[in-house]
């Protein structure tokens, strides 16, 4: 006869695994939708004569008020959790969140500078290198094990991005001077390095985080710090007045579509960062980096479908390599999860056998005493 407490624990563990899987799917959906939508909206902004680097930086973090909903509604409105918002949110976590938020704001600025100067081909090539940096830093910071699956995936995704870059050389903008090229080049490399550092650092911090709700709270503090940095920069450089002038005079689709584009960027970038944070917390920094890099191919397909861009042989091969690398990594994760589950079951069986053996020895000893 099965032990009721053991059966209950098994059902509880199964419910937790299902809940974690559902949360993982939701966060990857946020990352998928946010990454592709923000890429398309950013392209729409620049395609129609938008050019402000500060606007591009500010919209990447200004959507932090949206995080009030998942933080406060579950406790105050839906009553589906007993944990109060920001409960056990220590001063150390607050300081770390603010510092990392400033680093994220700097990363956003560097990305915007590089994006405003470099052609799409060069930018894609340089940003793809962050995955290699991510693997190296993950090994150093969080002791990530290098396996055939993750190394194979990193190589294939990097090759995919390189092919994508070489297949998009016609995107080079007019009037790009050598000085602007080098500024864009080093800005993009800096953005890639900072984001590659950001992912494993967050994974290490999340090891001391008790729940997913606290991850979102840290994310909101980081976004507030990044927005404060971008707001100071905009105010000092006349960015807000530039937004007004750009919407009324420069943007060729009119003021209405300008603000739709800006607010659409704010929402989609927030989904992207929220999905990234959830992926790192629920899996690992390397998995988060791989998922983001794999979406480069989806961004290419999005450009083909939405803007009618050319989809030649190089882009086809690049997309296939990207899909191959990503699927191989997912399959490797599936095998690892199955092996881990088998190990847990073996440990449970061994513990049960030892417990039964101990009970039998007690019975034998009692019988001998009688």
């Amino acid at each position: 006869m099965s032990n009721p407490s053991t059966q209950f624990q098994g059902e509880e563990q199964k419910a937790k695994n299902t809940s974690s899987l559902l949360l993982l799917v939701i966060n990857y959906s946020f990352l998928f939708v946010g990454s592709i939508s923000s890429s398309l909206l950013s392209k729409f902004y620049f395609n129609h004569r938008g050019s402000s680097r500060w606007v591009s930086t500010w919209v990447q973090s200004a959507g932090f008020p949206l995080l009030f909903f998942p933080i406060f509604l579950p406790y105050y409105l839906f009553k589906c959790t007993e944990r109060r918002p920001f409960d056990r949110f220590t001063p150390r976590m607050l300081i770390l969140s603010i510092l990392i938020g400033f680093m994220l704001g700097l990363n956003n600025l560097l990305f915007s500078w590089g994006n405003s100067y470099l052609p799409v081909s060069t930018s894609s090539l340089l940003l793809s290198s962050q995955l290699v940096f991510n693997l190296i830093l993950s090994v150093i910071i969080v002791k990530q094990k290098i396996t055939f699956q993750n190394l194979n995936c990193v190589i294939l995704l990097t090759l995919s991005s390189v092919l994508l870059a070489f297949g998009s050389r016609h995107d080079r903008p007019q009037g790009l001077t050598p000085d602007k090229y080098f500024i864009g080049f080093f800005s993009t490399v800096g953005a890639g390095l900072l984001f590659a550092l950001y992912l494993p650092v967050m994974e290490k911090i999340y090891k001391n985080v008790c729940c997913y709700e606290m991850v979102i709270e840290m994310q909101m503090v980081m976004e507030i710090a990044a927005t404060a940095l971008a707001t100071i920069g905009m105010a000092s450089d006349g960015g807000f007045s530039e937004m007004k002038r750009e919407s009324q005079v420069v943007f060729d689709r009119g003021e209405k579509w300008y603000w739709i584009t800006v607010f659409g960027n704010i929402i989609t970038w927030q989904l992207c960062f929220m999905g990234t944070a959830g992926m790192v917390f629920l899996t690992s920094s390397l998995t988060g980096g791989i998922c983001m890099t794999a979406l480069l191919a989806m961004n290419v397909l999005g450009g083909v479908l939405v803007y009618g861009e050319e989809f030649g042989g190089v882009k086809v091969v690049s997309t296939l390599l990207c899909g191959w690398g990503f699927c191989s990594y997912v399959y490797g994760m599936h095998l690892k999860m199955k092996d881990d589950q088998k190990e847990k079951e073996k440990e449970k069986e061994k513990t049960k056998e030892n417990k039964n053996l101990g009970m039998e020895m007690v019975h034998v000893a009692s019988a001998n005493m009688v």
Side-chain angles (χ1 to χ4, degrees), residues 36 40 298-311:
I36 295 176
L40 292 174
M298 296 298 103
N299 290 337
V300 173
L301 291 176
V304 171
L305 294 174
V306 176
Y307 297 114
E309 296 177 353
E310 183 183 348
F311 192 61

Side-chain angles (χ1 to χ4, degrees), residues 36-110:
I36 295 176
S37 300
S38 61
S39 173
L40 292 174
L41 285 170
S42 296
K43 192 172 183 64
F44 183 83
Y45 170 77
F46 288 111
N47 278 353
H48 296 283
R49 299 179 62 189
S51 60
S52 174
R53 290 185 295 272
W54 280 113
V55 170
S56 180
T57 302
W58 187 75
V59 298
Q60 292 181 56
S61 58
F64 69 86
L66 295 172
L67 298 180
F68 279 95
F69 295 105
I71 290 175
F72 291 98
L73 291 186
Y75 180 80
Y76 289 105
L77 183 62
F78 301 125
K79 309 292 183 182
C80 59
T81 179
E82 296 181 357
R83 180 186 175 273
R84 294 175 65 90
F86 291 95
D87 185 33
R88 285 185 284 176
F89 200 89
T90 63
R92 180 176 178 273
M93 291 177 64
L94 178 63
I95 294 171
L96 283 174
S97 299
I98 293 173
L99 292 176
I100 294 173
F102 287 144
M103 184 181 80
L104 195 61
L106 178 60
N107 173 81
N108 295 342
L109 177 61
L110 290 173

Side-chain angles (χ1 to χ4, degrees), residues 284 324 334:
S284 67
W324 178 17
H334 171 68

Side-chain angles (χ1 to χ4, degrees), residues 220-238:
M220 189 177 74
V221 175
M222 286 188 282
E223 297 289 346
I224 290 173
T227 304
L229 185 66
T231 302
I232 292 171
M234 285 185 72
S236 63
D237 199 44

Side-chain angles (χ1 to χ4, degrees), residues 16 65 78 94 178 185 204 213 278 280 348 351:
K16 286 182 178 178
F78 301 125
L94 178 63
F185 181 91
K204 192 172 183 66
E213 290 83 356
V280 173
K348 286 181 181 178
T351 303

